[in-house]
Amino acid sequence: MSILQSTNKRALRKAITTTLRELSQSDIQSQTQAITEKVLSLPAFQQCKTVSCYLSMPAAEVQTSSLILNILGDLGKTLFVPSITSSDGYMDFVRVYTEEDYRSFPAGLWGIPEPTPEWSSKKRQSIFDADCNNLDLILVPGVAFDQSLSRLGHGKGYYDRFITSYSSSTGRSKPLLVALALEQQLLEHGQVPMFDHDWKMDMIITPDKVITAPRA
């Protein structure tokens, strides 16, 4: 990708972030509720057994606490959440066991809850562990998305590297990538610049629509 395209990414990220920071909490909560209902009624979500969900910032993005509590409830699913414990740019997904476990997470950078290394005196299960079931679906955050299912993240590359690493190092199939987007985060076709290593989403869920890739 050219220097111009990289610059376009940075400019777009800055513009969308400014817009998101101006949204009221009531607007975000209203949109979040509609998105949460869409996720819970989604056949792909209902059928999956092992799911990852991001831990949301206090503002400026779709809030995931309600989704997480639903997943930890009686839906019969196993939940994993992102964990960044090193400075090498790689992200793991670790298991969350109960609602009590989730509510005990301390707030970390940007106010995002951070999973502790252990739960009940045992090391948390990693999605890379040999005895771990395949990860079926990832609920993905981002700064912006477009109608062609491109994603603009926060610029660190955590998700793109994880998806590539998970599929290549474990030999497992790629999980379904389901992005959660506020209305203000969804752009028209082709407006999000993409690198070769950037993964497109399989699905984007907004308050009023579910966008999927056209069938071949």
Side-chain angles (χ1 to χ4, degrees):
M1 178 174 277
S2 69
I3 294 175
L4 176 59
Q5 287 171 304
S6 296
T7 302
N8 288 345
K9 266 196 172 188
R10 288 194 296 270
L12 181 59
R13 187 177 291 117
K14 183 176 180 179
I16 298 295
T17 298
T18 298
T19 297
L20 295 175
R21 286 175 178 165
E22 293 172 351
L23 294 178
S24 67
Q25 281 298 104
S26 61
D27 188 1
I28 292 174
Q29 288 301 333
S30 176
Q31 294 195 57
T32 291
Q33 183 176 351
I35 291 167
T36 298
E37 291 171 359
K38 277 188 166 49
V39 172
L40 294 176
S41 63
L42 195 70
F45 175 80
Q46 293 175 345
Q47 294 161 14
C48 77
K49 296 297 184 184
T50 304
V51 58
S52 169
C53 183
Y54 68 93
L55 299 162
S56 54
M57 299 182 291
E61 67 180 352
V62 178
Q63 302 295 287
T64 57
S65 57
S66 179
L67 267 174
I68 286 171
L69 293 175
N70 271 280
I71 296 167
L72 290 171
D74 56 1
L75 297 182
K77 303 185 188 304
T78 302
L79 173 66
F80 285 79
V81 297
S83 175
I84 303 166
T85 57
S86 64
S87 58
D88 61 5
Y90 282 88
M91 176 173 68
D92 192 5
F93 284 163
V94 296
R95 186 170 177 182
V96 184
Y97 295 91
T98 65
E99 179 179 335
E100 179 189 3
D101 179 17
Y102 166 61
R103 292 190 184 280
S104 73
F105 288 0
L109 191 65
W110 312 117
I112 301 172
E114 288 188 355
T116 53
E118 297 183 344
W119 171 248
S120 294
S121 301
K122 292 183 180 179
K123 184 178 180 292
R124 289 187 186 278
Q125 185 179 34
S126 163
I127 200 67
F128 287 102
D129 289 349
D131 61 349
C132 186
N133 291 332
N134 287 2
L135 182 57
D136 299 317
L137 184 149
I138 304 178
L139 296 171
V140 185
V143 175
F145 308 90
D146 69 21
Q147 299 273 358
S148 54
L149 297 168
S150 299
R151 169 183 177 268
L152 178 69
H154 289 276
K156 302 296 186 183
Y158 289 125
Y159 276 87
D160 293 309
R161 278 193 297 272
F162 170 82
I163 296 161
T164 300
S165 175
Y166 180 76
S167 301
S168 62
S169 68
T170 65
R172 298 172 179 176
S173 57
K174 178 185 74 68
L176 191 72
L177 305 178
V178 179
L180 307 184
L182 301 168
E183 294 172 356
Q184 293 80 3
Q185 293 178 288
L186 183 64
L187 308 177
E188 294 302 317
H189 285 270
Q191 290 196 1
V192 172
M194 293 283 284
F195 284 104
D196 291 340
H197 60 257
D198 290 337
W199 285 88
K200 282 190 177 263
M201 300 294 97
D202 297 303
M203 198 175 294
I204 299 173
I205 300 181
T206 74
D208 59 359
K209 65 182 73 174
V210 176
I211 301 168
T212 57
R215 294 186 177 182

